[in-house]
Amino acid sequence: MEKIKIALTKGRLAEKSIQLFETMGIRFSAFYEDSRKLIIPSDCENFEVILVKALDVTTYVENGAADLGIAGKDTLLETNADVFEIVDLGFGKCRFAVAGPTHFDINQAVKLSVATKYPKVASQYFSDQGKQIETIKLNGSVELAPLVGLSDVIVDIVETGRTLDENGLEILENMHDISARLVANKASFKTKNQALKPLIEEVKEVIAVRQG
Amino acid sequence: MPFDKQLPQGVSDLYSNDYEKKEYVIGQINQLTKLYGFKPIQTPTFEYYDLFMSMPNTLDTDQMIKLIDHDGKILVLRPDATIPIARMVASSADKKPFERLSYVTNIFRMQNGESDVFSRSFTQLGVECFKEKDAYVDVEMIVLAIESLQAIGVERFQIDLGQAKFFQSLLKTMNLTPADERLIQEKLEQKNESELEQVLGKYKIDKKSKNVLMRLTDLFGNPLSVVNEAKSLALNDDMREAIYELEWVVQQLEELNLADYISVDLGLVNNLNYYTGLMFQGYVHGFGRSIIQGGRYDRLTEEFGLPMDAIGFGVYIDQLIDVLEKQHHFLKHETIQVGVHSEKTIEAFQVARQLRQAGMVVNLFSYETELNVDLDQKLIQLRDEHTPFESTEDLIDKVGHMYGKN
């Protein structure tokens, strides 16, 4: 059988994804052995996991370097990749939110400046509301921006809200809910369907059981 | 490197070897399209922006590469092959010669991404058949697509069939706004079951239609089983008709022993404002993008005032070359070259002409060639081997022999 390549987001999402495969009986022992390896074969050797950065998962899948991928809805929205988005995995739950200093009024700002790792998501959200904004693309610690006067507000993913709280920011508007998604390359999905379909069906079953 | 010597993003030079491959691929497929009665045509490289703007939602206008004409009008570099051809057919006074047209052309699209994977100028070969709707033509086009890939030796490919009318007829019964329809189409196109369900939850749609829509995300694979299931899902006559049409095409392909190349996906709903019936996409095992796109578009020429049914498909030549390279299809069969040397240059020119007439590649006065002819010493040299010759006829005979062997 041909190997199926699966791109995973390095870090916590990869751990949860690997756990999901384990409940299906697909083990990746090497994942726990050597944390610096980027390509990890499954014990049965039918699958191969590639560990990449969050925003790169869709790039690998869209171009067919990986057949499947697991990525957060946040990165799917930002990259707007041409892939099949087959299963909502239900884990990695968080949401997109606009956050800023307490009592900041978004509607008062003449030209709202927004610091974010997700400039496309931010512009889309505000342009849907007919608001003009100025995006400032940052690569991390976005919470800092309003504190030092780089921007008025931020658009970021929020899980518990603790980081915001500790930095004296609060959620001003909730945008979308986010969770991890199983995505597939459009060509692989068709040409390797015999191998992929049973796997996808099983993922759906496991998720359905988990969600009761 | 100084700016003036660089290439802009998303374009590339093709060196002789690569260009030969491209010529070969185009040549092979065109031989076939000619045998099917397609006649080559060409439309201008740039046309008015308004031409493409007037097509509702077919192309992303942000992706068009625009120029300003001297009178201030906006021009765009050909962003699509079919629309200009439809315009050409509809505006021609003489309708007769326009039935089966083929083209090889560059398409230009602005790619706004940060990476360079998608080129901004790529070559597409395609055929368009303007003729009253006829199921035989639909079958013939798919056969041509399959034979085109076979002609250049592509292995393990698959033509995925869809039927635009099935989904369109279902949507029509729901009375949704265009924006809502687009949203449903987008979720279905992504096979995004969970979000489709959420979206459908917002509208007042009867349960039956909702069920069918949800089933569409998963209605793909083996042609006959998909068609059979779809029959039981059809809610109105238009949907039934769409499925019977598709079934007939599938049956014909089975009887032509082409079933192995075919799959069906009723969730194939991209470019729906363009296609009106059968649609298809070609994929190759282990290659991440489609290499063929096509379908029936019976309403496009109407936009130009002449209603005429049509079906066509395009082959992405550059991607096809990548596929062939991946499948190791271009064996090195470079032809050898003959060098001809003499003090008497006129004699060398004459011998060279005779060798060329005999079909050999001659690179006069070059010592880089594998096969060399010394007219003054009457010797033919192939690597370390020297062979004498008598007359010019003897020379051509012997060189031809060695040339053929190498």
Side-chain angles (χ1 to χ4, degrees), chain A residues 2 73 85 181 190 204, chain B residues 160 190 192 195 265 285:
Chain A
E2 216 160 345
K73 181 70 187 177
E85 195 181 316
R181 306 293 163 100
K190 296 288 164 65
K204 281 186 188 168
Chain B
D160 200 32
Q190 298 172 343
N192 196 335
E195 283 180 22
D265 183 358
H285 196 97

Side-chain angles (χ1 to χ4, degrees), chain A residues 40-104:
Chain A
I40 297 160
S42 68
D43 298 3
C44 60
E45 291 187 345
N46 290 338
F47 304 94
E48 200 169 74
V49 152
I50 324 173
L51 293 174
V52 299
K53 280 252 190 182
L55 282 164
D56 296 340
V57 171
T58 49
T59 310
Y60 280 83
V61 176
E62 187 175 21
N63 291 299
D67 303 306
L68 297 175
I70 294 181
K73 181 70 187 177
D74 53 329
T75 62
L76 293 175
L77 285 169
E78 181 65 19
T79 56
N80 199 17
D82 187 20
V83 294
F84 286 138
E85 195 181 316
I86 1 179
V87 189
D88 183 345
L89 297 171
F91 55 77
K93 272 196 172 145
C94 50
R95 66 208 137 127
F96 263 122
V98 186
T102 322
H103 306 309
F104 183 88

Side-chain angles (χ1 to χ4, degrees), chain B residues 167-226:
Chain B
F167 175 67
Q168 282 163 343
S169 320
L170 178 60
L171 270 192
K172 231 185 276 167
T173 61
M174 298 183 181
N175 296 320
L176 298 168
T177 65
D180 293 340
E181 289 186 350
R182 254 200 311 280
L183 191 62
I184 292 178
Q185 186 188 328
E186 184 194 308
K187 298 300 172 201
L188 184 55
E189 199 180 317
Q190 298 172 343
K191 299 204 181 299
N192 196 335
E193 231 179 285
S194 57
E195 283 180 22
L196 179 63
E197 199 171 0
Q198 278 173 23
V199 168
L200 292 179
K202 285 190 228 156
Y203 309 132
K204 274 193 187 144
I205 308 171
D206 66 288
K207 226 176 167 185
K208 257 189 181 167
S209 308
K210 204 181 271 183
N211 269 339
V212 177
L213 267 178
M214 289 303 297
R215 281 295 301 136
L216 281 183
T217 59
D218 204 30
L219 209 54
F220 65 93
N222 177 284
L224 284 183
S225 56
V226 170

Side-chain angles (χ1 to χ4, degrees), chain A residues 152-202:
Chain A
D152 296 328
V153 294
I154 63 170
V155 161
D156 205 8
I157 46 175
V158 181
E159 210 169 334
T160 58
R162 233 184 79 199
T163 323
L164 292 180
D165 207 34
E166 281 175 8
N167 289 294
L169 300 178
E170 69 172 28
I171 292 179
L172 302 172
E173 257 172 49
N174 281 313
M175 297 163 61
H176 327 268
D177 286 327
I178 285 163
S179 56
R181 306 293 163 100
L182 180 69
V183 296
N185 172 269
K186 286 193 167 178
S188 298
F189 193 68
K190 296 288 164 65
T191 56
K192 297 189 182 172
N193 193 255
Q194 283 191 333
L196 291 181
K197 195 155 190 179
L199 181 76
I200 293 164
E201 287 307 317
E202 223 179 320

Side-chain angles (χ1 to χ4, degrees), chain B residues 173-399:
Chain B
T173 61
M174 298 183 181
N175 296 320
L176 298 168
T177 65
D180 293 340
E181 289 186 350
R182 254 200 311 280
L183 191 62
I184 292 178
Q185 186 188 328
E186 184 194 308
K187 298 300 172 201
L188 184 55
E189 199 180 317
Q190 298 172 343
K191 299 204 181 299
N192 196 335
E193 231 179 285
S194 57
E195 283 180 22
L196 179 63
E197 199 171 0
Q198 278 173 23
V199 168
L200 292 179
K202 285 190 228 156
Y203 309 132
K204 274 193 187 144
I205 308 171
D206 66 288
K207 226 176 167 185
K208 257 189 181 167
S209 308
K210 204 181 271 183
N211 269 339
V212 177
L213 267 178
M214 289 303 297
R215 281 295 301 136
L216 281 183
T217 59
D218 204 30
L219 209 54
F220 65 93
N222 177 284
L224 284 183
S225 56
V226 170
V227 165
N228 280 333
E229 192 181 342
K231 274 189 205 163
S232 68
L233 294 174
L235 296 176
N236 54 46
D237 287 344
D238 286 343
M239 288 175 81
R240 266 184 287 277
E241 192 191 308
I243 269 311
Y244 285 126
E245 269 175 31
L246 183 61
E247 184 182 34
W248 191 83
V249 169
V250 167
Q251 281 168 349
Q252 304 304 304
L253 293 168
E254 293 233 329
E255 282 181 38
L256 288 165
N257 284 325
L258 297 172
D260 288 351
Y261 297 111
I262 301 294
S263 60
V264 169
D265 183 358
L266 283 172
L268 185 66
V269 292
N270 37 357
N271 302 320
L272 271 197
N273 3 48
Y274 196 88
Y275 293 125
T276 54
L278 183 77
M279 304 188 279
F280 52 101
Q281 291 187 336
Y283 293 108
V284 178
H285 196 97
F287 190 75
R289 290 190 222 128
S290 67
I291 50 166
I292 286 185
Q293 285 256 12
R296 181 162 276 292
Y297 51 97
D298 294 335
R299 245 162 276 140
L300 189 58
T301 56
E302 219 168 275
E303 302 280 338
F304 304 105
L306 179 83
M308 195 190 281
D309 298 342
I311 180 169
F313 69 82
V315 184
Y316 300 109
I317 295 295
D318 309 273
Q319 306 205 1
L320 204 50
I321 290 169
D322 289 346
V323 166
L324 289 172
E325 231 137 63
K326 251 193 166 169
Q327 296 187 347
H328 310 291
H329 258 295
F330 294 112
L331 300 170
K332 280 222 163 166
H333 54 78
E334 270 180 47
T335 43
I336 63 164
Q337 301 190 345
V338 186
V340 178
H341 313 277
S342 174
E343 292 285 305
K344 297 170 219 149
T345 48
I346 292 300
E347 212 172 288
F349 275 118
Q350 280 163 344
V351 168
R353 188 167 65 185
Q354 281 174 295
L355 287 169
R356 284 178 184 134
Q357 276 168 355
M360 288 170 256
V361 180
V362 179
N363 194 348
L364 255 182
F365 308 122
S366 164
Y367 282 99
E368 307 279 296
T369 46
E370 295 94 335
L371 222 163
N372 287 290
V373 178
D374 192 324
L375 294 178
D376 302 332
Q377 299 195 25
K378 291 197 176 297
L379 276 178
I380 308 168
Q381 176 224 336
L382 175 64
R383 293 180 201 106
D384 297 334
E385 213 179 294
H386 291 80
T387 317
F389 66 90
E390 315 269 310
S391 60
T392 314
E393 271 169 29
D394 188 32
L395 161 74
I396 290 170
D397 197 46
K398 280 178 174 158
V399 172

